[in-house]
Amino acid sequence: MGVEIPIVSIKEENKEYIPIGLEYSNSILDDAYLKFKEVKRLTKGLAEVENSVYRLADSIKKTRKRANALKNVMIPRFESIVTVSYTHLRAHETPEHLVCRLLLEKKKKKK
């Protein structure tokens, strides 16, 4: 039972030049293009972190529910079964078992 952490990938083009013609643009457009590339890269990282945190929080919530179910439902049920079984076994003890058990309890009390 694990949590899958997503990895986002963006197809990066390693271009040395900016694909905008010089005739129709200026340096402000070039700067905007470069900053947009940086924003894409940062958004990718943010998407990974945000999705990971959401999945981990969901997994923690499910784990808490399971732990509470164990603590409040399953463990008390098993404890009652053990008590009934122990009582049933004690009722069907033979005299030899009874003597052994009493000797063990007496030995424990001495320690």
Side-chain angles (χ1 to χ4, degrees):
M1 182 175 163
V3 179
E4 291 183 14
I5 304 296
I7 297 176
V8 179
S9 63
I10 296 176
K11 184 179 178 183
E12 298 252 351
E13 298 176 4
N14 293 328
K15 294 182 179 179
E16 295 291 326
Y17 63 94
I18 299 173
I20 301 171
L22 292 174
E23 184 178 342
Y24 303 108
S25 69
N26 58 20
S27 65
I28 295 173
L29 187 61
D30 295 344
D31 289 339
Y33 177 80
L34 294 173
K35 288 181 181 179
F36 182 73
K37 273 181 83 170
E38 181 66 18
V39 167
K40 274 189 354 185
R41 187 184 65 77
L42 292 173
T43 304
K44 170 193 155 284
L46 179 64
E48 285 180 355
V49 170
E50 182 182 15
N51 200 312
S52 299
V53 167
Y54 175 76
R55 288 180 183 209
L56 287 170
D58 190 45
S59 179
I60 289 170
K61 187 190 301 184
K62 288 178 183 177
T63 304
R64 278 192 190 137
K65 284 183 180 180
R66 286 187 182 125
N68 285 337
L70 279 173
K71 178 181 168 187
N72 298 325
V73 176
M74 299 304 290
I75 292 175
R77 186 182 305 163
F78 291 138
E79 286 176 345
S80 66
I81 290 171
V82 167
T83 304
V84 169
S85 299
Y86 183 71
T87 306
H88 180 74
L89 289 172
R90 296 268 314 256
H92 295 314
E93 281 183 337
T94 60
E96 296 85 24
H97 289 111
L98 185 61
V99 170
C100 290
R101 186 175 52 80
L102 290 174
L103 288 173
L104 285 172
E105 287 176 5
K106 191 174 186 182
K107 186 176 181 181
K108 285 180 184 178
K109 285 181 184 178
K110 284 184 179 179
K111 289 182 179 182

